[in-house]
Amino acid sequence: VQLQASGGGWVQAGRSLRLSCRASGYGLIVNNMGWYRRAPGKQRELVATIWRGGRIDYADSLKERFTISEDFAENMVYLQMNRMRPEDTAIYYCSGNCYTPSGGSLDYDGEGTLVTVSS
């Protein structure tokens, strides 16, 4: 399974940016997909996760400005980031949990996409 994130870049504070991530792999069935980020000098932080069935988990500090959505028919997850702040500058990583043929599930992480917010 591979996760490919896209949509990162440079944005001015107060503006919006949308990230996308596609999961690919033979016979892939997604259980959940989400985003986490790592800012310079800081620990990894969960941004949001969306589950098949509709459950969504957000970091409390971000849920007023960020919105996660999915198109699991296409194995896609999106992150809409609004009213961005310089402290949102980070590498954003896509993650996913996918079912296996044996009935279990495995976690996968993708390569990150850099988001830079200027003041």
Side-chain angles (χ1 to χ4, degrees):
V1 174
Q2 291 187 326
L3 300 174
Q4 182 65 51
S6 61
W10 176 87
V11 64
Q12 283 187 318
R15 305 298 291 269
S16 299
L17 200 65
R18 189 189 194 217
L19 304 181
S20 302
C21 177
R22 177 183 296 278
S24 60
Y26 180 77
L28 178 66
I29 300 177
V30 170
N31 177 32
N32 68 60
M33 293 181 72
W35 299 90
Y36 64 95
R37 68 185 185 182
R38 190 186 299 274
K42 296 187 177 181
Q43 291 188 337
R44 166 177 160 165
E45 174 187 26
L46 173 71
V47 176
T49 303
I50 187 165
W51 298 74
R52 184 179 295 275
R55 170 185 161 186
I56 296 176
D57 295 323
Y58 285 106
D60 286 341
S61 62
L62 299 176
K63 60 185 177 182
E64 295 298 321
R65 299 185 295 117
F66 288 13
T67 301
I68 191 171
S69 60
E70 54 83 4
D71 181 356
F72 284 155
E74 298 293 331
N75 295 325
M76 295 288 296
V77 67
Y78 306 94
L79 184 68
Q80 178 69 38
M81 303 183 289
N82 299 325
R83 303 191 305 281
M84 297 194 72
R85 304 169 180 171
E87 54 263 40
D88 294 323
T89 295
I91 300 175
Y92 286 72
Y93 298 89
C94 178
S95 65
N97 181 273
C98 303
Y99 294 111
T100 65
S102 63
S105 65
L106 290 174
D107 293 324
Y108 299 91
D109 290 334
E111 294 186 1
T113 184
L114 176 63
V115 173
T116 304
V117 185
S118 65
S119 57

